[in-house]
Amino acid sequence: MKNICSILVLLLLVCNLGFSQENPVLKSNKWSAEKAQSWYDSHNWINGANFVPSTAINQLEMWQEDTFDPETIDRELGYAAGIGFNTMRVYLHSLAYKVDKKGFKKRVEEYLNIADKNGIKTIFVFLDDVWDANPKIGKQPAPKPGTHNSGWVQDPGYPASKNEANFPELETYVKDILKTFANDERILLWDLYNEPGNNGKSNESLPLLKEIFTWAREVNPSQPISAGIWKWDEKELNEFQVTNSDIVTYHDYEGPEWHLRVIQLLESFNRPLICTEYMARTRNSRFSNTLPMLKEHTIGAINWGLVNGKSNTIYAWDTPIANGDEPIEWFHDVFRKDGTPYREDEVNLIKKLNNK
């Protein structure tokens, strides 16, 4: 049976999560299950998209002063608000902070003002193990025609992510941002580390993962913290992530049958669930077969992609189209740049589920 080994690994994970944490800081400020549920119940059903404006190829182009684009951000968040989306998951980047700390925080504040004006809360992501391992400040590359996320960059990159000499500088960054916005109601949740262990790193990312959770617990923001599980055979990483997260977050780009099994197992943790990445049409992860299921189970739903742009995420991960022609079926994303929906039936479903 497809993915049966992964299901067994996940089941073992569920059964073996009683281990104790050696770090008292991680224990002391973790939310109780009751506090987490009360927080979750205080919000309307959480749904939305991972967001980078269509004019940015990656996190650096989004946040650097020369290419920060509040006009496009406002317009495109307006598209999201129009169909009832109330949450965007947005990646930060430590290099944009490093080169311009005050300016970076000012732009984060401006983004939050725009999102709030559109009735949208934000999940901010700090670290990331996905795509290009060599992020560089300055002008970012042009997109490669027809290639998914051809310019997306890791944070802090590799081998930087395993070099403990870099940790103090990252600690300064993470704590500064957390302290600055620790009581900001415009921020829904802090997603500390996206897909730790990706790109073959596996447990090499565990030391940094443990550090960022410790830094966050030391600040103790009013918002919950989490790091989403994404690869079921990464037992040690998954165990640490789930055990130390206030809210259980996860990624799933499979069809609804597999996704339902994942939901049923994750519900065993007795904590609120938010799926922070899903919806890959050519893998049969669609709004039509997944979004109603997530709402039925009262699970937050954050799909990948809002507007077709420089990130090229209408193209599938592993099937580039060299001449840049539009694919027969989009992989991710909801809108064209002018606000026209890719599929009217999809936005009508989203509106219906949001009572719009």
Side-chain angles (χ1 to χ4, degrees):
M1 182 178 178
K2 180 178 179 288
N3 285 325
I4 188 65
C5 292
S6 296
I7 280 287
L8 291 172
V9 169
L10 180 56
L11 183 58
L12 288 170
L13 170 64
V14 171
C15 294
N16 290 320
L17 278 178
F19 73 97
S20 62
Q21 293 294 336
E22 296 178 0
N23 187 334
V25 175
L26 295 176
K27 282 184 176 181
S28 62
N29 291 326
K30 183 186 174 182
W31 287 17
S32 67
E34 293 76 17
K35 180 178 180 179
Q37 192 62 54
S38 177
W39 170 88
Y40 193 77
D41 292 344
S42 72
H43 295 87
N44 293 330
W45 178 50
I46 295 164
N47 72 109
N50 285 266
F51 177 70
V52 61
S54 62
T55 51
I57 193 171
N58 60 23
Q59 316 94 303
L60 290 170
E61 196 160 47
M62 178 175 181
W63 291 112
Q64 290 181 149
E65 182 179 15
D66 289 349
T67 46
F68 183 67
D69 187 355
E71 182 178 347
T72 297
I73 290 169
D74 189 18
R75 181 175 62 254
E76 294 180 352
L77 292 186
Y79 302 162
I83 60 174
F85 277 170
N86 56 31
T87 306
M88 294 288 119
R89 181 171 179 254
V90 178
Y91 287 70
L92 304 172
H93 204 287
S94 61
L95 290 185
Y97 169 86
K98 180 179 179 180
V99 77
D100 180 16
K101 296 178 182 180
K102 289 183 179 179
F104 179 80
K105 290 195 289 185
K106 181 180 178 181
R107 290 186 286 279
V108 170
E109 174 69 26
E110 186 172 359
Y111 168 84
L112 288 170
N113 283 334
I114 295 168
D116 188 56
K117 184 188 77 171
N118 284 284
I120 290 172
K121 292 189 180 292
T122 301
I123 297 172
F124 277 132
V125 184
F126 279 109
L127 307 180
D128 188 4
D129 273 353
V130 182
W131 300 108
D132 188 347
N134 298 287
K136 294 181 176 63
I137 283 293
K139 184 176 175 59
Q140 299 302 298
K144 295 178 182 177
T147 301
H148 180 106
N149 257 336
S150 64
W152 197 263
V153 289
Q154 297 179 30
D155 187 6
Y158 190 80
S161 60
K162 70 173 184 176
N163 185 352
E164 295 189 8
N166 295 321
F167 291 3
E169 190 170 54
L170 289 171
E171 179 181 6
T172 297
Y173 157 61
V174 169
K175 285 186 171 180
D176 188 13
I177 298 301
L178 286 174
K179 288 176 182 176
T180 301
F181 299 101
N183 297 301
D184 197 318
E185 293 184 355
R186 298 168 298 180
I187 297 172
L188 182 73
L189 180 147
W190 298 101
D191 191 342
L192 300 182
Y193 202 143
N194 180 63
E195 299 195 354
N198 206 332
N199 280 286
K201 297 178 186 180
S202 191
N203 285 338
E204 284 186 334
S205 297
L206 189 57
L208 182 55
L209 177 68
K210 289 181 176 181
E211 288 294 328
I212 194 170
F213 266 91
T214 300
W215 304 333
R217 290 295 180 209
E218 288 173 345
V219 174
N220 193 26
S222 63
Q223 309 93 340
I225 66 173
S226 186
I229 55 177
W230 64 280
K231 190 169 185 280
W232 308 117
D233 57 357
E234 290 289 356
K235 181 179 182 296
E236 196 170 354
L237 286 165
N238 289 339
E239 195 170 52
F240 183 87
Q241 287 166 249
V242 174
T243 303
N244 288 283
S245 293
D246 299 319
I247 309 299
V248 174
T249 59
Y250 71 98
H251 299 173
D252 197 298
Y253 287 109
E254 301 298 330
E257 296 83 5
W258 164 265
H259 198 151
L260 179 59
R261 293 186 179 96
V262 169
I263 289 169
Q264 290 166 339
L265 288 168
L266 293 180
E267 286 176 336
S268 301
F269 297 130
N270 294 315
R271 285 183 177 265
L273 302 177
I274 301 177
C275 181
T276 51
E277 290 188 25
Y278 79 100
M279 210 286 288
R281 294 180 184 91
T282 59
R283 295 174 63 89
N284 198 33
S285 176
R286 303 171 182 274
F287 288 118
S288 60
N289 61 18
T290 302
L291 192 58
M293 178 175 66
L294 292 173
K295 184 168 186 182
E296 179 185 356
H297 287 260
T298 323
I299 295 170
I302 311 295
N303 71 275
W304 190 275
L306 185 67
V307 180
N308 174 28
K310 292 176 75 173
S311 65
N312 273 348
T313 51
I314 64 171
Y315 303 96
W317 299 319
D318 52 1
T319 52
I321 299 176
N323 63 7
D325 285 350
E326 184 171 313
I328 294 172
E329 184 174 36
W330 283 16
F331 194 62
H332 297 318
D333 299 331
V334 182
F335 293 101
R336 300 182 186 275
K337 290 181 184 179
D338 65 0
T340 303
Y342 167 60
R343 290 184 56 161
E344 287 286 349
D345 61 325
E346 290 180 340
V347 299
N348 288 339
L349 173 64
I350 295 166
K351 288 179 179 179
K352 180 179 178 180
L353 292 172
N354 285 317
N355 301 314
K356 290 289 286 185

